[in-house]
Amino acid sequence: MQPTPDILAAFEAAKGFMPVDEGLALYAAARDAGRLGLPLLEVGTYCGRSTILLADAAREGGTVAVTVDHHRGSEEQQPGWEYHDPSVVDDDPGVGRMDTLPTFRRTLYKAGLEDHVIAVVGRSPQVAKVWQAQLGLVFIDGGHTDEHAGADYEGWAPHVAPGGLLVIHDVFPDPADGGQAPYRVYLRALASGAFTEVSVTRSLRVLRRTGLGN
C-alpha cells in the first residue's frame, strides 16, 4: 500500500535526500512493522522528510514514530561539505551552528502529523543507553562514518522486537557509489544471524529479526 496523495506530496515537498522509490519502500516496511503495535524509531531526523512516512504508518498502526537526532547535522552537512545547506544554520551570531529542529517542526506541522511523533533531541548512543522498550522498526539513517553508523547499530538493533524490522539507508556495495559504513553495518546485521533480508530498493535494505543475537 502506498501513502495517500497528501502524505506523498508532503514527503516530496520536505527538505531531505531520500528519493521517492526508497521512501515508498520505507513506508511499506513501516506499515508492515506497525502491525506489531510497537513504536517505529528512526535515527537521523534531519528536517523530517522520512519522518512523515514513518509517522503516517505509525498512525495507521495505532502506534507512534520516534525520531532521534541532535539536529546539528552530520559530518557531510557541515560548512564546506557537499550536503551543507546554509538555510538551516542558526543565524544567531552567538551560535552560528546548524539547527534543523525548527525546519523539522514545520515539516511535521504542515503534514498534520505532530501528534504521531515523539522527537528526541540528543545523540543516538546516549539515547539508546537509556531506552528500555521494544521497537517494531529501527531505521538507521544517521551519521555515515564507521564510528557513528556502528554505534547506531549497536545501540538500537538489540531493541528490535522478534518479527520487527531493521532498515538501513545508504547501503552501497560499490565504493564508487557512496560511503561504506552503512554497508558494513548491513553485512554485520546479516552475519549476526539475528536478521534476514526482506527487500532491497536501491540503497535501502530491509531486514527482519528472525533469530537471537544482535
Side-chain angles (χ1 to χ4, degrees):
M1 180 178 291
Q2 293 197 353
T4 65
D6 286 349
I7 292 296
L8 186 57
F11 166 77
E12 292 184 294
K15 188 184 294 291
F17 310 104
M18 176 171 280
V20 172
D21 59 345
E22 293 182 350
L24 293 176
L26 174 64
Y27 181 77
R31 286 291 300 266
D32 180 350
R35 297 189 181 97
L36 296 176
L38 298 170
L40 313 177
L41 182 141
E42 74 172 338
V43 180
T45 312
Y46 190 51
C47 296
R49 185 176 171 95
S50 56
T51 315
I52 290 172
L53 301 177
L54 295 177
D56 189 59
R59 175 172 61 182
E60 291 295 324
T63 183
V64 68
V66 180
T67 185
V68 180
D69 200 310
H70 50 67
H71 287 281
R72 294 300 189 189
S74 58
E75 300 82 2
E76 65 271 19
Q77 294 163 359
Q78 302 306 315
W81 290 80
E82 181 180 2
Y83 294 103
H84 179 63
D85 183 346
S87 73
V88 291
V89 173
D90 189 327
D91 59 6
D92 186 318
V95 180
R97 298 183 64 193
M98 287 191 65
D99 185 1
T100 56
L101 184 57
T103 305
F104 162 67
R105 294 202 66 176
R106 285 193 294 271
T107 297
L108 284 189
Y109 175 77
K110 290 178 180 179
L113 292 167
E114 286 185 303
D115 292 343
H116 305 282
V117 177
I118 297 172
V120 180
V121 180
R123 297 192 174 274
S124 167
Q126 293 174 312
V127 178
K129 283 182 181 179
V130 300
W131 188 267
Q132 299 295 318
Q134 285 193 320
L135 296 164
L137 177 144
V138 168
F139 175 41
I140 296 178
D141 192 24
H144 285 43
T145 64
D146 281 307
E147 175 188 1
H148 292 121
D152 291 341
Y153 173 76
E154 291 165 8
W156 293 107
H159 296 292
V160 178
L165 298 176
L166 174 67
V167 184
I168 307 170
H169 195 214
D170 294 325
V171 174
F172 298 111
D174 185 346
D177 295 328
Q180 294 294 284
Y183 177 58
R184 284 188 278 269
V185 164
Y186 159 74
L187 294 178
R188 183 176 173 183
L190 290 177
S192 73
F195 296 96
T196 302
E197 188 166 85
V198 174
S199 70
V200 174
T201 304
R202 288 207 286 172
S203 76
L204 192 83
R205 302 293 190 274
V206 179
L207 311 177
R208 189 180 305 278
R209 178 177 284 282
T210 55
L212 301 176
N214 299 312

